Each structure stands twice: as C-alpha cells, then as structure tokens.
C-alpha cells in the first residue's frame, strides 16, 4: 500500500509544484538527468550482475522491440493510406511505440510485484525502450523530420548513454561471475530507489492539458495503440502463440501497457514532429494509463 501512496503522492506533488511561481522551470530536466545519469545506472549495477542469464531473458528484452516494430508498421501503413504528413507519422511512431517502462514502469511494477519484479522491468527498459530510443528512435526522428540520420552521431549517443553503458558493464560482470560487496550493493540500491519519487515528481511537473487542439483524433489513435493494442500484441504472441505463463509474462504485458515515454515525446518535439501532439500524448496518456493498467493487471492474474 505504501508503494501506491508514494506513486500517486509524488505525482500529485509534482502537479502542485507547477503552481509555485519561484520554482525553477527546468526542474523536470534536472530530475530526469539525475535519473538517467545516476539512478538508472545504479539499478542496473545492483540487479543485473545477480540475474541468471538464459534464454528466458529474451522474453522481457523483446517486449519493447516488438511494440516499437508494431507501432512503426501500424502508423506507417495508416500514414500511407490516409496521406498523413511525415511529421505526423513520425510523431505517432515515436510517442506511441515507446512506453514509459522506467519513470512510471518501475514504481508501478515495484508496487504490484515488489523488488523482484524490477529485475524483469530493467530488462524490458534498458536493452529495450531506452536502447531503442537512443538508436532506432533517433534515426526515425531524423528520417521523418527535415534532417537525415547521422550514423556517427547515433553511434556516439549509444556509446555515451549512461544506462546503456552501465548495462553493458553489468552484463560483463554477470558473464564473468563478478559481484560487488554487500556494502557497495547497498549504495547502488539506495541510489536506485530514487527513481520512483524523482521520476513521478518530474512527470507531475510536466503534465499539460491543451483543451483546444486539432490533434484529438490522432491522440486517441496513439493512445489506443500504446495502452490497448501494444499489450494485446504481447499477450497474443507470448501467451496465445508461445503458450507462456508466470509472473515474468504478467510483468511483460503490464510493462507493454505503460503510458508513452516522456523522453520519446521530448525527442519528437525536438525534431519538430508535431510538438503539441507529443505533449498531449504525455498529458493525457499518463493519467489515462492508470485506468488501463488496472485493467491489464486484473486481466493477467490468470496467466
């Protein structure tokens, strides 16, 4: 229960902080940078060296890749059929194809499945969502805007992206059976625990609702894919086709149903891919996702 209180309490706190005039406007950026450079790498170094690596890790890792590929196929096809602009198509691919598997996903999974559930959530997020955003996501943003994808720049972003770098380091430690001392792991655990409060306060600070907009139908379409079709796709493949069961599969489906990734929406806006629509995906997607997540959590309990 305390996890849910923390979840909604920090989100509401972030919304309330918007009303404080003297509160720094760049606070979400600072909080996000701290999470990316400190909190997420600490979680990777805390959990991944202790994970048993076998073929089953491919299941959570594949979630984000499958959902993003489905988004690209779905919105590219609709864009071609209805003559959408490249910017609109690119915006929907990015914002609906990548879920908020860390900033919201981690605290939700921790609340529902405990600390053990975070092991699966990290595999979905770091080699999945964040890696896709840093590579294919940047390429998509550049390709659907006026610019072109720069292979050198993309490679540099991958190699210098802290969660990816520490993920590779943690995997190497795991492969060579190297482990940190209990004292060091406790430091990583404490730093990693800052993800939940900082991320949700950041989300609350960024929630914006534009009442007058021409993007309502595209917003509905994007959120329908992100919150309903994407988890349904994972359920169909993992449960229906492969016949898989268990808590790991439950977590993969719930993570697939997360709200749009804030960072992906920021990237879309930065590249000029319908910034207002990208902001609406965050503003409406996050609160609505709490309703749809409740449904998916109830739905997967029988798996």
């Amino acid at each position: 229960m305390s996890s849910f209180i923390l979840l909604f309490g920090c989100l509401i706190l972030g919304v309330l902080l918007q009303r404080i005039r003297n509160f720094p406007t760049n606070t979400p950026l600072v909080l996000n940078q701290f999470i990316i450079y400190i909190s997420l790498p600490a979680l990777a170094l805390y959990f991944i060296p202790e994970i048993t690596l076998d073929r089953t890790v491919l299941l959570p890792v594949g979630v984000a890749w499958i959902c993003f590929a489905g988004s690209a196929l779905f919105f590219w096809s609709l864009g071609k059929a209805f003559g959408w602009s490249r910017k609109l198509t690119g915006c929907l691919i990015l914002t609906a194809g990548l879920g908020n598997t860390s900033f919201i996903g981690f605290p939700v999974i921790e609340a529902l499945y405990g600390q053990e559930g975070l092991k699966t959530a990290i595999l979905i997020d770091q080699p999945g969502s964040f890696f896709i955003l840093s590579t294919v996501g940047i390429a998509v943003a550049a390709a659907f805007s006026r610019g072109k994808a720069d292979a050198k720049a993309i490679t540099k972003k991958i190699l210098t992206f802290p969660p990816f770098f520490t993920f590779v380091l943690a995997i190497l430690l795991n492969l060579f059976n190297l482990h940190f001392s209990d004292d060091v792991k406790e430091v990583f655990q404490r730093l990693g625990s800052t993800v939940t409060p900082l991320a949700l306060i950041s989300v609350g600070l960024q929630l914006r609702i534009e009442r007058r907009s021409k993007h309502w139908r595209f917003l509905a379409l994007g959120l329908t894919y992100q919150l309903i079709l994407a988890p349904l796709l994972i359920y169909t493949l993992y449960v229906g086709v492969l016949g898989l069961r268990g808590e790991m599969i439950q977590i993969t489906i719930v993570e697939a149903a997360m709200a749009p990734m804030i960072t992906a929406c920021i990237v879309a806006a930065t590249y000029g891919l319908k910034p207002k629509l990208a902001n609406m995906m965050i503003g409406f997607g996050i609160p609505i996702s709490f309703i749809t997540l409740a449904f998916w959590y109830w739905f997967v309990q029988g798996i």
Side-chain angles (χ1 to χ4, degrees), residues 221-232:
L221 191 59
L223 292 181
T224 296
Y225 177 85
Q226 178 65 56
L227 304 179
I228 299 175
L229 297 182
L232 181 60

Side-chain angles (χ1 to χ4, degrees), residues 116-176:
E116 284 298 308
L118 284 178
K119 294 181 180 180
T120 299
I122 287 173
L123 290 171
I124 295 171
D125 180 71
Q126 296 202 6
S129 302
F130 270 103
F131 183 62
I132 292 172
L133 178 65
S134 302
T135 55
V136 184
I138 297 297
V140 167
F144 282 86
S145 66
R146 295 180 180 178
K148 295 182 179 180
D150 186 335
K152 184 177 180 180
I154 290 174
T155 302
K156 183 178 179 181
K157 285 181 178 293
I158 297 171
L159 297 177
T160 57
F161 194 58
F164 174 72
F165 174 80
T166 50
F167 171 78
V168 173
L169 175 60
I171 287 292
L172 291 175
L173 291 172
N174 187 300
L175 293 175
F176 288 99

Side-chain angles (χ1 to χ4, degrees), residues 49-291:
E50 311 301 325
I51 291 174
T52 301
L53 293 178
D54 52 33
R55 288 182 297 177
T56 60
V57 303
L58 296 176
L59 297 173
V61 170
V63 169
W65 291 91
I66 293 169
C67 291
F68 188 80
S71 174
L73 178 61
F74 183 67
F75 291 111
W76 181 82
S77 300
L78 288 178
K80 283 290 185 182
F82 294 100
W84 294 351
S85 69
R86 291 177 59 82
K87 290 185 177 182
L88 174 59
T89 302
C91 177
L92 288 171
I93 291 175
L94 269 180
T95 59
L98 290 169
N100 208 319
T101 51
S102 58
F103 290 5
I104 291 181
F106 286 172
V108 168
I109 295 302
E110 183 179 13
L112 297 177
Y113 296 96
Q115 282 280 320
E116 284 298 308
L118 284 178
K119 294 181 180 180
T120 299
I122 287 173
L123 290 171
I124 295 171
D125 180 71
Q126 296 202 6
S129 302
F130 270 103
F131 183 62
I132 292 172
L133 178 65
S134 302
T135 55
V136 184
I138 297 297
V140 167
F144 282 86
S145 66
R146 295 180 180 178
K148 295 182 179 180
D150 186 335
K152 184 177 180 180
I154 290 174
T155 302
K156 183 178 179 181
K157 285 181 178 293
I158 297 171
L159 297 177
T160 57
F161 194 58
F164 174 72
F165 174 80
T166 50
F167 171 78
V168 173
L169 175 60
I171 287 292
L172 291 175
L173 291 172
N174 187 300
L175 293 175
F176 288 99
N177 198 28
L178 298 174
H179 304 277
F180 294 104
S181 67
D182 290 339
D183 290 335
V184 174
K185 286 195 291 186
E186 184 178 352
V187 172
F188 288 146
Q189 192 274 331
R190 291 188 178 186
L191 288 173
S193 67
T194 60
V195 168
T196 300
L198 295 185
L200 290 170
I201 289 173
S202 174
V203 168
L205 283 165
Q206 295 176 86
L207 283 179
R208 298 288 189 275
I209 298 176
E210 294 194 13
R211 300 178 185 275
R212 298 179 180 179
S213 175
K214 299 178 181 179
H215 299 305
W216 288 109
R217 61 192 181 108
F218 300 115
L219 172 69
L221 191 59
L223 292 181
T224 296
Y225 177 85
Q226 178 65 56
L227 304 179
I228 299 175
L229 297 182
L232 181 60
L233 175 62
I234 298 301
Y235 175 83
T236 301
L237 290 176
Y238 284 15
V239 179
V241 177
L242 298 178
L244 302 172
R245 298 289 189 276
E247 186 174 282
M248 177 185 287
I249 302 305
Q250 293 181 22
I251 294 172
T252 60
I253 296 170
V254 173
E255 277 278 48
M258 291 297 163
M261 179 193 283
I262 293 173
T263 314
C265 295
I266 293 172
V267 168
T270 301
Y271 277 80
L273 303 179
K274 300 295 181 182
K276 291 185 177 180
L277 176 58
N279 289 331
M280 290 175 69
M281 287 288 288
I282 299 174
F284 285 91
I286 291 173
I288 292 174
S289 71
F290 288 122
I291 300 173

